[in-house]
Amino acid sequence: MEVSVLNIKGQDTGRKVVLDDAVYGIEPNDHAIYLDVRLFLANQRQGTSKAKERSEVSGSTRKLGRQKGGGGARRGDINSPVLVGGGRVFGPKPRDYSFKLNKKLRQLARKSALAYKAKENAIIVVEDFTFDAPKTKSFVEIINNLKVDGKKSLFLLPDTDKSVYLSARNLQRVNVMRAQQLGTYQVLDADVLVLTEGALKVVDANLNK
């Protein structure tokens, strides 16, 4: 699949790049995508929620009623879970929600997400660019020139560029990241994927290992 290379003014440079069929042309695997997105969301969880059990609640341990003859279910002290103010049965405890996925499965998930974007013609390739200093107005001009304003867009750069990152930081629905950090969730979360030529090479190299 060939894609025209644009400059930051949105003009066709006359050059084309070929999207690797081994990455962008595969049959997407929905289950691999599901597992990788689930892993990403699980890693975002703090896992610090905690409820007190009956042994942790502050209260007297005096037995409230006789064992038999009360006409109801037996209960012990005032910390019993069946009473208001008592402990909680099987409440949440601090835990780690992360789990392991094989590297090849995660790689397949990223390829599948990129294949979906290629099918939707939602991939734009631009020339490598940078800013001398952070300037949000300049980045807004690029967005307008590429006709992605109003869309949730993900810009991929070959390496860290602080000026570009700071220029886009205050813009809603725009995300800038290194190609090395690309994940399945970020690809699916964006309406349009904007890759620089350098970032495209990094993505291909990472996913064809």
Side-chain angles (χ1 to χ4, degrees):
M1 179 180 177
E2 287 189 337
V3 177
S4 298
V5 179
L6 307 179
N7 58 27
I8 57 175
K9 294 182 179 179
Q11 300 166 339
D12 192 339
T13 60
R15 293 184 291 111
K16 292 183 182 292
V17 291
V18 178
L19 298 182
D20 191 350
D21 285 340
V23 177
Y24 303 89
I26 68 168
E27 184 64 33
N29 187 313
D30 291 339
H31 189 62
I33 290 175
Y34 158 74
L35 290 174
D36 201 21
V37 170
R38 185 174 158 225
L39 174 64
F40 174 81
L41 295 176
N43 288 337
Q44 307 308 302
R45 301 185 68 173
Q46 287 185 326
T48 55
S49 57
K50 172 74 171 70
K52 290 185 177 181
E53 297 181 353
R54 66 182 301 168
S55 62
E56 299 169 318
V57 174
S58 177
S60 172
T61 57
R62 178 178 67 88
K63 188 172 175 64
L64 297 178
R66 49 193 293 193
Q67 179 76 358
K68 288 177 175 291
R74 57 191 170 179
R75 61 178 187 266
D77 55 39
I78 202 168
N79 304 325
S80 171
V82 301
L83 296 176
V84 174
R88 181 172 171 185
V89 182
F90 305 128
K93 294 181 179 180
R95 55 168 290 195
D96 181 9
Y97 286 91
S98 64
F99 57 94
K100 181 182 179 299
L101 281 183
N102 292 333
K103 188 182 293 184
K104 286 189 176 180
L105 180 62
R106 299 188 64 187
Q107 197 175 59
L108 174 61
R110 277 175 285 169
K111 288 181 179 180
S112 299
L114 290 169
Y116 271 125
K117 283 289 179 275
K119 284 184 177 181
E120 297 165 1
N121 292 321
I123 295 179
I124 298 174
V125 180
V126 298
E127 290 181 325
D128 292 333
F129 67 93
T130 187
F131 297 145
D132 295 330
K135 197 167 185 181
T136 302
K137 185 178 179 181
S138 299
F139 202 93
V140 171
E141 288 178 0
I142 293 177
I143 291 173
N144 292 332
N145 292 337
L146 297 177
K147 298 178 181 177
V148 295
D149 52 312
K151 297 180 180 178
K152 202 167 189 180
S153 50
L154 174 63
F155 283 75
L156 289 182
L157 306 178
D159 209 346
T160 303
D161 191 321
K162 192 173 181 180
S163 295
V164 176
Y165 171 75
L166 292 176
S167 299
R169 184 172 59 175
N170 290 335
L171 297 175
Q172 290 185 335
R173 302 173 68 80
V174 175
N175 191 15
V176 175
M177 65 188 304
R178 291 170 52 219
Q180 190 79 28
Q181 299 172 314
L182 183 66
T184 306
Y185 182 88
Q186 288 80 9
V187 175
L188 296 177
D189 191 45
D191 296 326
V192 181
L193 198 60
V194 182
L195 299 95
T196 63
E197 290 180 282
L200 185 63
K201 294 177 182 177
V202 173
V203 171
D204 288 349
N206 285 342
L207 296 181
N208 282 322
K209 287 180 180 177

